[in-house]
Amino acid sequence: MSSTATAVAQHGQTGRGDQSVEAVRRILDEARKDGRTALTAPEGKALCDAYGIAVPGEALAKSADEAAKQAAAMGFPVVLKIVSRDILHKTEAGGVLVGLKSADEVKRGYDTILANALNYDAKAVIDGVQVQQMLTGGQEVIIGAVTDDSFGKLVAFGMGGVLVEVLKDITFRLAPLDSQEAMGMIDGIQAAEMLRGVRGAEPANRDALADMIVRVSRLVSDFPEITELDLNPVFATAKGAIAADVRIVLDFAPKAARPRPSREEILASMTRIMRPRGVAVIGASAEDGKIGNSVMKNIINGGYQGKIYPIHPKADEIMGHKAYKSVKDVPGEIDVAVFAIPAKFVATALTECGEKKISGAVLIPSGFAETGNEEGQIELQEIGRKYNIRLMGPNIYGFYYLPANLCATFCTPYDVKGHAALSSQSGGIGMAIIGFSRSAKMGVSAIVGLGNKSDLDEDDLLTFFEQDDETHIVAQHLEDLKDGRSFAEVARRVTKKKPVVVLKAGRTAAGAKAASSHTGALAGNDRIYEDVFKQVGVIRARSLREMLDFARGIPKLPTPKGENVVIITGAGGSGVLLSDACVDYGLKLMTMPADLDAAFRKFIPPFGAAGNPVDITGGEPPKTYQNTVRLGLEDPRIHALILGYWHTIITPPMVFARIMVEVVEEMRAKGIEKPIVASLAGDVEVEEAAEYLYAHGIPSYAYSTEIPVAVLGAKYQWARGAKLI
Amino acid sequence: MSSTATAVAQHGQTGRGDQSVEAVRRILDEARKDGRTALTAPEGKALCDAYGIAVPGEALAKSADEAAKQAAAMGFPVVLKIVSRDILHKTEAGGVLVGLKSADEVKRGYDTILANALNYDAKAVIDGVQVQQMLTGGQEVIIGAVTDDSFGKLVAFGMGGVLVEVLKDITFRLAPLDSQEAMGMIDGIQAAEMLRGVRGAEPANRDALADMIVRVSRLVSDFPEITELDLNPVFATAKGAIAADVRIVLDFAPKAARPRPSREEILASMTRIMRPRGVAVIGASAEDGKIGNSVMKNIINGGYQGKIYPIHPKADEIMGHKAYKSVKDVPGEIDVAVFAIPAKFVATALTECGEKKISGAVLIPSGFAETGNEEGQIELQEIGRKYNIRLMGPNIYGFYYLPANLCATFCTPYDVKGHAALSSQSGGIGMAIIGFSRSAKMGVSAIVGLGNKSDLDEDDLLTFFEQDDETHIVAQHLEDLKDGRSFAEVARRVTKKKPVVVLKAGRTAAGAKAASSHTGALAGNDRIYEDVFKQVGVIRARSLREMLDFARGIPKLPTPKGENVVIITGAGGSGVLLSDACVDYGLKLMTMPADLDAAFRKFIPPFGAAGNPVDITGGEPPKTYQNTVRLGLEDPRIHALILGYWHTIITPPMVFARIMVEVVEEMRAKGIEKPIVASLAGDVEVEEAAEYLYAHGIPSYAYSTEIPVAVLGAKYQWARGAKLI
């Protein structure tokens, strides 16, 4: 029994026992012995039987009564077939009857078949009659499993026929999974409604389908050698689900698992890298324009308080710090070494770092896998593993960790401290993160370049930021995941505590091609990324700007306590666009209870619109915004507010901004905190108002009705995934 | 024959003659006489026959030879049925044969049936044998027509069964249409691939389907009383398309057409409104904070050079201009009157405007339909029609027309002249347009508030801007179209010359509900708006910000001469995201020819990536950007460029910006103009570079890989719709 099987069995979720596992093992061993890479139909059926995956029932009856009993057990209608080595042409012999619908019909059918057979060949030796369940009606669906290079075992579910073939209406999840996740798959396809009964059809038994998905997920997880499994079609009826055809592909030479340190090991290394006692700059330089000079300046000017050790073959001192020829000459402790030397010198210096027991190497130099120098990168990986040095990069801009005032990078220093930790696979995107953050005054805890990801990758960062109190949200740009399974496992845990936003580049075929020419990374199937992110609670950003807006806005918002969103707007036109955006971003506009409607009406003109949006109309004074927003915050049935401001002379932008902040602070003093976002329509003064509101915890956008709602929608998406609402 | 029928007949596109039209007319008159609102199946079939819409063939044969001939004419297989008043139970009598596949089978079948019948009842009087075409196989599709309150007659096309019922995979177009538009419908559904043959099926005869759509579109256009028509299912096979079932619904009490001035009348009025010789401000005031004061200030400070006539019950002079008690007292010509008085005084003043023969009334006051005062608004409409005054509003901020330096609004004056004409149904959105335009230095020709649209609406504006040389693009925010048919007809003409961008608010159910509470407008079915916009070449913006970005960016770009887009990037990571965006926005990344690839390679480092994107890598000097972009502009096989800039010390942002502008100007001097957009990744200095590039004709965005591609994509969408590429 594999360790996964044991784990699942211990959770008590499986109906299978050791016996089932052994039955499967025997069949697979047989196939392995024969050198086969696929199972026969009877073997496939036997695997299904062992794991409780329903296939059409079949049995051999020796009497009419037995046939009737067997048929009743497997369900009507059934097919009867004569079983006799002497009768090859069964139909010709009158030895086949289809569509028998009752025990009586089966009994009579048995006798008829026997009589026909003996009539056909009086000397035939009759073994009996095969009773076979006949599949009719219901919906045809597909349940399957594949093995992805990055994510490992995945189960798939889709509707049969053109829906999956033409419309690609199929969904994936990591295996194994539980029945709730399986039900999420069934509800998650585009044509989900079909299983609830359309055009007068009976609804399918969705529980039976979910159960079959769970069982498939366990089977493929228990036996890594099962690389592909297809149940196609599965007949889904009101009664249950039966797989009409089973196809199983095997591979007995599984890939070696990627080396993976334990959580404790990752944290030990990452903590030394992020909060080092001493930093070595290998290739430090006093000469302006050199990367080693920029790194020195940034570390010093960034305000890092630990020891700084410039490493240089000749210099005695660089920028006020004593220089050394090698890290091995440094008397004190070094936790991290930043490399600012050409590619060809890196391996030697890295070995010295190993001998010095340095924990992390920040490999800024390019000239490795991204330029075709795979060997050079493998050499570094081997040195890293030998000496237990974690490698960041190569081919990166370095990293920032602001709680330690550490700017270990050749870019400009960054000093707006906050709680967003960002990372990027690409240097260009890293620069965009820095520029946007500075421009938008987005407080960050960290910005990390991952580049070629020879070692440290997204899940190492997630593991560190999970327990880093200075980080409240993690946003990652990535083009591929070297180990999607590991990322998913860590992300599933982290997203329970902190939002994780991912911008997955290479979404499209064209993008994937560009990604592969760029980093040599094989971009995975985007549908799988999409589904796995959903499964583990990761928020997927659709564009670079969206990732940045999410990273900036989400941590500003308190977690909502429920789904009821109310729009309060001075501009009716904004109200319409904000409502559109609510649908786009999965927000639920509260149906306004009569008493609350009446309460809002007290504050707004008689021709203001009822319901939700609350349209206070355009000509209102600050008091009207104040009263309605206060009511929205005070009433416990409302969980989040979207404000639509319209610039007027009566309520100028900064007046609006200040009273909004006042109301929010007044409520906060009473212990009331709800997420609020705002859309500001008006002349250029609204830009200052938006900035003021943002700085005071209300993500606000000028000239946009979509972005504020997208940010609130992302917060909700996270809260739902983390089961906080 | 209706005027539409005549028009189509004159185009020579129809196979039907007056005879067909008369045949249909006779049947409809019959139904009208009977007071029926639906046709019987034989009547429906007769209409189809008259318009050449294939229905299953049927005929009465009197001999075996005749039956065989009829069957061959309608196509095999066929069904044969005895026709005899004496034989009620045809099947029992052996009088039905199905699935006959050849002339011989039919001949033999005819004889068999006759023999069976006489065998069954020797005395039966036999009329003959009915030969019926048997529909089998092929794809089931739906072709239909509906009558929309705003758009009038629309044809619909979709796949049959769950695809239309569950997935709503259906598309609409204005009727009548031509075969190319019909083919666009067939190719436009999600499951389009199914008709090209999937899972080994034969492809359907798409020409036959397109032809049937065209015929249906003509039938419903020729006869306004046909309000609904359904051919469901239509069997589409390799041979042709046959409608198995016809359903036709009638309404003999059509709605009165909306009054609609001619193009010449619209232009005459609009020209007087936009370029007035004299402007009256009704309710002009010298008192700060009054709307009538703001309007006066804006008109004066905006630099308007015509006559300004303040109208005030008591004042002799306001802000240096002689005041009058009524427009009727003004000695000179007045072309437009701006209203800044309470709702209750508007009707009287409007009548005076009529008597003064003023052409346009800008009705800023609110308090009409939007507050439930429908009667008040109808009164204004009646006065307007009586005196031929076109009404803008009521419930608006007014309008700006910059070529005449006219700011007829109570908002701030706007002075960045350019070539985008914008309009909004909502005042709040109007303010957002003003703020964004000012902030982004977007040159505009006009900004117009349409508010309640009691009279002037989007198509009036389109008609004016079409021939306004100062306007190169029109962008309109709208919540509904009072007369979608008229809008579509004008837009179809205008989009051939100038891009038209529409932000349709109330896209979603929630948005539509908000729209109806806001303006009393019934938001139409969004799918219909979507499809009609596509049909007439309107670019649909998905968000407010997108509309603004499109209005700003599209006119900056020269029209591309072909579909080949090339990305040149310093940041590989941006290249991947830009490629993703190309797929999202329908741009085609050129497959790089070998010689061109080699030519690019000469300029970039050996490890730069081949193909498209051209990845020049991050550490390159300005020269590399310059050389590659010059090559991209010079080679005639490339039609558009997307630049991905990565901020480095070697090529700082403003250096990049300046050399790009240099290259573009160098090429322009040689007569080479191609659309270029840029995505800038870097520290905050990239914002200045983006602004510089934008000002010099290269729409550029900091921290975004999506927006520049969206803008280029919109330009392409327009150019394709206008058949320029």
Side-chain angles (χ1 to χ4, degrees):
Chain A
M1 197 172 188
S2 76
S3 65
T4 314
T6 315
V8 176
Q10 282 168 350
H11 279 85
Q13 295 177 322
T14 174
R16 71 189 186 276
D18 282 358
Q19 225 177 338
S20 307
V21 174
E22 276 157 28
V24 174
R25 173 57 54 217
R26 267 196 308 277
I27 293 167
L28 295 179
D29 285 348
E30 201 66 35
R32 186 204 306 255
K33 219 163 49 192
D34 297 351
R36 283 186 287 138
T37 58
L39 293 185
T40 64
E43 286 171 338
K45 183 179 177 326
L47 259 63
C48 288
D49 285 342
Y51 270 69
I53 296 162
V55 289
E58 56 177 54
L60 183 71
K62 298 282 194 179
S63 72
D65 280 348
E66 195 184 6
K69 231 177 265 170
Q70 288 165 345
M74 62 183 70
F76 297 99
V78 295
V79 179
L80 298 185
K81 287 181 194 166
I82 191 76
V83 180
S84 163
R85 74 207 62 173
D86 298 321
I87 300 176
L88 291 177
H89 303 290
K90 294 188 178 73
T91 307
E92 208 178 292
V96 178
L97 288 174
V98 303
L100 306 180
K101 294 190 190 69
S102 69
D104 276 354
E105 277 183 43
V106 170
K107 277 187 208 166
R108 269 184 278 129
Y110 185 95
D111 293 340
T112 307
I113 280 186
L114 238 66
N116 286 353
L118 293 173
N119 198 21
Y120 180 76
D121 179 357
K123 283 183 269 175
V125 177
I126 312 275
D127 295 330
V129 169
Q130 190 187 40
V131 183
Q132 249 185 1
Q133 195 177 5
M134 199 173 144
L135 300 180
T136 53
Q139 289 289 349
E140 290 186 33
V141 306
I142 294 172
I143 294 175
V146 293
T147 308
D148 180 84
D149 280 348
S150 179
F151 289 104
K153 301 292 180 195
L154 296 158
V155 281
F157 174 78
M159 297 301 296
V162 295
L163 286 164
V164 63
E165 288 181 30
V166 176
L167 300 181
K168 318 293 177 211
D169 190 14
I170 191 163
T171 188
F172 294 87
R173 295 289 187 281
L174 295 170
L177 45 58
D178 63 26
S179 53
Q180 201 186 343
E181 287 174 300
M183 197 55 91
M185 296 179 79
I186 295 169
D187 289 338
I189 59 169
Q190 250 189 301
E193 198 189 325
M194 283 178 65
L195 294 168
R196 296 181 179 273
V198 287
R199 313 179 93 193
E202 270 191 319
N205 184 331
R206 293 158 63 254
D207 289 329
L209 281 175
D211 182 64
M212 190 178 280
I213 296 170
V214 170
R215 288 170 188 275
V216 165
S217 82
R218 288 179 194 156
L219 174 58
V220 298
S221 302
D222 286 353
F223 299 96
E225 55 268 61
I226 301 179
T227 51
E228 275 179 55
L229 183 153
D230 273 302
L231 307 180
N232 182 12
V234 173
F235 285 87
T237 65
K239 282 190 223 148
I242 299 180
D245 196 53
V246 185
R247 189 183 138 266
I248 290 174
V249 175
L250 307 171
D251 180 355
F252 291 104
K255 299 217 173 63
R258 206 170 177 244
R260 187 87 209 119
S262 71
R263 179 167 177 271
E264 290 66 33
E265 286 165 337
I266 294 169
L267 281 181
S269 307
M270 285 303 301
T271 304
R272 284 183 64 191
I273 294 169
M274 291 293 183
R275 297 180 176 277
R277 291 160 296 181
V279 178
V281 178
I282 299 175
S285 167
E287 192 182 327
D288 242 20
K290 294 264 184 190
I291 285 183
N293 178 260
S294 299
V295 173
M296 282 298 292
K297 274 186 196 155
N298 287 335
I299 294 176
I300 295 167
N301 299 340
Y304 171 65
Q305 297 298 310
K307 296 280 184 193
I308 302 170
Y309 304 109
I311 309 297
H312 190 278
K314 291 175 211 143
D316 291 329
E317 179 258 300
I318 293 174
M319 299 178 73
H321 292 265
K322 180 172 165 44
Y324 299 87
K325 291 199 170 25
S326 159
V327 290
K328 291 164 73 177
D329 302 332
V330 174
E333 294 267 19
I334 303 175
D335 287 317
V336 70
V338 184
F339 285 62
I341 52 177
K344 58 184 170 183
F345 302 124
V346 171
T348 308
L350 187 61
T351 303
E352 290 174 4
C353 288
E355 287 161 5
K356 176 71 183 167
K357 297 202 188 310
I358 290 173
S359 195
V362 179
L363 301 174
I364 291 175
S366 55
F368 294 92
E370 87 285 3
T371 63
N373 179 11
E374 299 283 354
E375 306 72 32
Q377 189 160 312
I378 291 168
E379 186 187 3
L380 300 189
Q381 287 172 318
E382 282 165 357
I383 297 168
R385 274 198 287 277
K386 177 174 174 190
Y387 292 103
N388 193 27
I389 318 172
R390 298 304 307 265
L391 314 179
M392 191 182 283
N395 185 29
I396 58 171
Y397 48 90
F399 78 97
Y400 301 79
Y401 184 65
L402 276 84
N405 299 313
L406 181 57
C407 301
T409 161
F410 63 91
C411 302
T412 39
Y414 189 76
D415 55 5
V416 187
K417 286 188 190 178
H419 304 293
L422 299 106
S423 70
S424 74
Q425 184 160 349
S426 138
I429 304 307
M431 281 301 294
I433 291 172
I434 292 162
F436 175 90
S437 303
R438 199 188 306 278
S439 178
K441 302 186 181 64
M442 166 159 78
V444 309
S445 58
I447 302 175
V448 183
L450 287 176
N452 293 4
K453 299 199 281 195
S454 68
D455 175 19
L456 282 173
D457 63 9
E458 289 79 5
D459 39 303
D460 294 295
L461 298 186
L462 280 182
T463 302
F464 176 77
F465 292 128
E466 176 186 14
Q467 54 81 59
D468 178 33
D469 290 338
E470 296 299 323
T471 296
H472 299 173
I473 185 170
V474 184
Q476 305 190 310
H477 156 267
L478 55 93
E479 291 173 357
D480 67 344
L481 287 169
K482 307 274 186 223
D483 185 347
R485 169 67 59 161
S486 168
F487 173 85
E489 283 168 5
V490 178
R492 191 198 287 265
R493 195 180 67 224
V494 178
T495 56
K496 295 278 182 295
K497 301 176 204 157
K498 300 176 183 184
V500 175
V501 177
V502 169
L503 171 63
K504 166 71 176 71
R507 276 186 296 119
T508 62
K513 198 172 144 255
S516 78
S517 71
H518 167 229
T519 57
L522 181 72
N525 178 327
D526 188 68
R527 159 63 66 187
I528 292 174
Y529 276 93
E530 177 84 17
D531 288 339
V532 171
F533 287 159
K534 194 188 296 168
Q535 185 179 8
V536 301
V538 164
I539 300 162
R540 186 170 192 186
R542 300 286 149 190
S543 66
L544 174 56
R545 193 65 79 81
E546 193 168 89
M547 178 183 84
L548 296 167
D549 279 323
F550 285 178
R552 183 183 178 211
I554 292 173
K556 291 273 182 187
L557 296 171
T559 302
K561 296 194 172 63
E563 293 283 356
N564 285 336
V565 176
V566 169
I567 297 171
I568 297 175
T569 184
S574 297
V576 182
L577 288 167
L578 291 167
S579 300
D580 279 347
C582 282
V583 174
D584 291 343
Y585 290 97
L587 292 174
K588 187 180 151 280
L589 283 183
M590 181 189 193
T591 307
M592 197 65 87
D595 67 307
L596 196 48
D597 197 49
F600 274 114
R601 282 188 171 285
K602 273 190 207 151
F603 298 125
I604 66 179
F607 52 89
N612 188 6
V614 178
D615 184 354
I616 69 168
T617 79
E620 291 297 295
K623 196 100 197 131
T624 310
Y625 280 106
Q626 193 174 31
N627 286 333
T628 48
V629 170
R630 186 185 283 125
L631 175 56
L633 288 172
E634 275 177 339
D635 193 287
R637 290 167 291 183
I638 297 173
H639 304 121
L641 293 180
I642 298 171
L643 310 182
Y645 165 74
W646 182 4
H647 185 165
T648 60
I649 297 168
I650 299 156
T651 308
M654 279 309 295
V655 172
F656 165 78
R658 288 209 187 84
I659 54 158
M660 287 300 101
V661 171
E662 270 172 39
V663 175
V664 167
E665 280 169 2
E666 173 195 331
M667 290 297 128
R668 200 176 288 148
K670 291 189 188 172
I672 296 172
E673 286 197 84
K674 295 179 184 178
I676 311 182
V677 296
S679 161
L680 311 188
D683 212 331
V684 288
E685 295 96 301
V686 297
E687 294 179 21
E688 184 194 349
E691 210 168 305
Y692 180 85
L693 285 162
Y694 221 122
H696 288 81
I698 304 177
S700 302
Y701 297 84
Y703 328 128
S704 173
T705 46
E706 182 140 297
I707 311 171
V709 180
V711 169
L712 183 62
K715 184 86 193 192
Y716 264 97
Q717 194 190 328
W718 168 69
R720 287 185 205 113
K723 313 266 183 241
L724 297 172
I725 45 171
Chain B
M1 198 171 187
S2 77
S3 66
T4 314
T6 315
V8 175
Q10 283 167 349
H11 278 84
Q13 295 177 323
T14 172
R16 71 189 186 277
D18 282 358
Q19 226 177 336
S20 307
V21 173
E22 275 157 29
V24 174
R25 172 57 56 216
R26 268 195 308 276
I27 292 167
L28 295 179
D29 286 348
E30 202 67 35
R32 185 206 307 256
K33 219 164 49 192
D34 298 350
R36 283 185 286 140
T37 57
L39 293 186
T40 64
E43 286 171 338
K45 184 177 176 326
L47 260 62
C48 288
D49 284 343
Y51 271 68
I53 295 161
V55 291
E58 56 178 52
L60 183 69
K62 298 282 193 177
S63 72
D65 279 347
E66 197 185 4
K69 232 177 266 171
Q70 288 165 345
M74 65 185 65
F76 298 99
V78 296
V79 179
L80 299 184
K81 287 181 194 167
I82 190 77
V83 180
S84 164
R85 74 206 61 174
D86 298 322
I87 299 175
L88 291 178
H89 302 292
K90 294 187 179 75
T91 308
E92 208 178 292
V96 178
L97 288 174
V98 303
L100 305 181
K101 293 190 191 70
S102 68
D104 276 352
E105 277 184 42
V106 170
K107 278 185 210 172
R108 270 183 275 127
Y110 185 95
D111 294 338
T112 307
I113 279 185
L114 237 68
N116 287 353
L118 292 173
N119 198 24
Y120 180 75
D121 178 357
K123 282 181 271 172
V125 177
I126 311 279
D127 295 328
V129 171
Q130 190 187 40
V131 183
Q132 253 186 359
Q133 194 177 5
M134 197 174 147
L135 301 181
T136 52
Q139 288 290 349
E140 289 186 34
V141 307
I142 293 171
I143 293 174
V146 294
T147 307
D148 181 83
D149 279 347
S150 179
F151 289 103
K153 302 292 180 196
L154 297 159
V155 282
F157 174 78
M159 297 301 296
V162 295
L163 286 164
V164 64
E165 289 181 31
V166 177
L167 300 181
K168 318 293 177 213
D169 189 13
I170 191 163
T171 188
F172 294 88
R173 294 290 186 282
L174 296 170
L177 44 59
D178 63 25
S179 53
Q180 202 186 343
E181 287 175 299
M183 197 55 90
M185 295 180 79
I186 296 170
D187 290 338
I189 59 170
Q190 249 190 301
E193 196 188 327
M194 283 178 66
L195 293 168
R196 296 179 179 274
V198 287
R199 312 179 94 190
E202 269 191 316
N205 184 331
R206 292 159 63 254
D207 290 328
L209 282 174
D211 182 63
M212 190 178 281
I213 295 170
V214 170
R215 288 169 188 274
V216 165
S217 82
R218 289 179 194 158
L219 174 59
V220 298
S221 302
D222 286 352
F223 299 95
E225 54 267 62
I226 302 179
T227 51
E228 276 179 53
L229 183 153
D230 273 301
L231 307 180
N232 182 11
V234 173
F235 285 87
T237 64
K239 280 189 225 150
I242 299 179
D245 197 54
V246 185
R247 189 182 139 267
I248 291 174
V249 176
L250 307 170
D251 181 355
F252 291 103
K255 298 217 174 67
R258 210 174 174 241
R260 187 89 208 116
S262 71
R263 178 166 178 271
E264 290 65 34
E265 288 166 336
I266 294 169
L267 282 180
S269 306
M270 286 302 302
T271 304
R272 285 184 65 191
I273 294 170
M274 292 294 184
R275 296 179 176 277
R277 291 159 296 178
V279 177
V281 179
I282 299 175
S285 168
E287 194 182 326
D288 242 21
K290 295 267 183 190
I291 284 183
N293 178 260
S294 299
V295 172
M296 282 298 291
K297 272 188 197 153
N298 287 336
I299 294 176
I300 296 166
N301 298 340
Y304 171 65
Q305 296 299 310
K307 295 279 183 194
I308 302 171
Y309 303 109
I311 309 297
H312 190 277
K314 291 178 209 137
D316 290 329
E317 179 259 298
I318 292 172
M319 300 177 75
H321 291 264
K322 179 171 166 46
Y324 299 87
K325 291 201 169 28
S326 159
V327 289
K328 291 165 73 180
D329 302 332
V330 174
E333 294 268 19
I334 304 174
D335 288 316
V336 70
V338 184
F339 285 63
I341 52 178
K344 58 183 169 181
F345 302 124
V346 171
T348 307
L350 188 60
T351 303
E352 292 174 3
C353 288
E355 288 161 3
K356 176 72 183 165
K357 299 204 184 311
I358 290 173
S359 194
V362 179
L363 302 174
I364 291 174
S366 54
F368 294 93
E370 86 287 1
T371 64
N373 179 12
E374 300 281 354
E375 304 72 29
Q377 189 159 313
I378 290 168
E379 187 187 3
L380 300 189
Q381 287 172 316
E382 283 165 356
I383 297 168
R385 273 198 288 277
K386 179 174 174 190
Y387 292 103
N388 192 27
I389 317 173
R390 299 304 308 265
L391 313 179
M392 192 183 281
N395 184 30
I396 57 172
Y397 49 90
F399 78 97
Y400 300 78
Y401 184 66
L402 276 82
N405 299 311
L406 181 56
C407 301
T409 163
F410 63 91
C411 302
T412 39
Y414 189 77
D415 56 4
V416 187
K417 286 189 191 178
H419 304 292
L422 300 106
S423 70
S424 74
Q425 185 159 349
S426 139
I429 303 308
M431 282 301 294
I433 291 173
I434 292 162
F436 175 90
S437 302
R438 202 188 303 280
S439 179
K441 301 185 182 64
M442 167 159 75
V444 309
S445 58
I447 303 174
V448 182
L450 286 176
N452 294 6
K453 298 198 281 195
S454 67
D455 175 20
L456 281 174
D457 63 8
E458 289 79 5
D459 37 308
D460 294 296
L461 298 185
L462 281 183
T463 302
F464 176 77
F465 292 129
E466 176 187 14
Q467 54 80 59
D468 178 33
D469 291 338
E470 297 300 323
T471 297
H472 299 172
I473 184 170
V474 184
Q476 305 189 309
H477 157 267
L478 55 93
E479 290 172 359
D480 67 345
L481 287 170
K482 306 273 185 222
D483 185 347
R485 169 67 59 161
S486 168
F487 173 86
E489 282 168 6
V490 178
R492 191 200 287 264
R493 195 181 65 225
V494 178
T495 56
K496 294 281 181 295
K497 302 175 201 158
K498 300 175 183 185
V500 175
V501 177
V502 168
L503 171 62
K504 166 70 177 73
R507 274 185 298 120
T508 61
K513 197 171 145 258
S516 78
S517 71
H518 165 229
T519 58
L522 180 73
N525 176 326
D526 189 68
R527 158 63 65 185
I528 292 175
Y529 276 93
E530 177 85 17
D531 288 340
V532 171
F533 287 159
K534 194 188 295 168
Q535 185 179 8
V536 301
V538 164
I539 300 161
R540 187 170 192 184
R542 300 287 149 190
S543 66
L544 174 57
R545 194 63 79 83
E546 193 168 89
M547 177 183 84
L548 296 168
D549 279 324
F550 284 179
R552 183 183 179 213
I554 292 173
K556 291 274 182 187
L557 296 171
T559 302
K561 295 193 174 62
E563 293 282 358
N564 284 336
V565 177
V566 168
I567 298 171
I568 297 176
T569 186
S574 297
V576 182
L577 289 166
L578 292 167
S579 300
D580 280 347
C582 282
V583 174
D584 291 343
Y585 291 97
L587 292 174
K588 187 181 148 279
L589 283 184
M590 181 188 192
T591 307
M592 198 65 87
D595 66 308
L596 197 48
D597 196 51
F600 275 114
R601 282 190 172 284
K602 275 190 205 148
F603 299 125
I604 64 179
F607 51 89
N612 188 5
V614 178
D615 185 353
I616 70 169
T617 79
E620 291 297 296
K623 196 98 196 128
T624 311
Y625 280 106
Q626 194 175 29
N627 285 333
T628 49
V629 171
R630 185 185 286 127
L631 175 57
L633 288 172
E634 276 179 337
D635 193 287
R637 290 167 292 183
I638 298 174
H639 304 120
L641 294 180
I642 298 170
L643 310 182
Y645 164 73
W646 181 4
H647 185 167
T648 59
I649 298 169
I650 299 155
T651 308
M654 278 309 294
V655 171
F656 165 78
R658 287 207 190 87
I659 54 156
M660 287 300 101
V661 170
E662 269 171 39
V663 175
V664 166
E665 281 170 1
E666 173 194 331
M667 290 296 127
R668 200 177 288 148
K670 291 189 187 174
I672 297 171
E673 287 197 81
K674 295 179 185 178
I676 311 182
V677 297
S679 161
L680 312 188
D683 212 332
V684 288
E685 295 96 303
V686 295
E687 294 179 22
E688 184 196 349
E691 211 167 303
Y692 180 86
L693 285 163
Y694 221 122
H696 289 81
I698 304 176
S700 302
Y701 297 84
Y703 328 128
S704 171
T705 47
E706 182 139 295
I707 310 172
V709 179
V711 169
L712 183 62
K715 184 86 192 193
Y716 263 97
Q717 195 189 328
W718 168 69
R720 286 186 207 113
K723 314 269 185 235
L724 298 171
I725 43 172

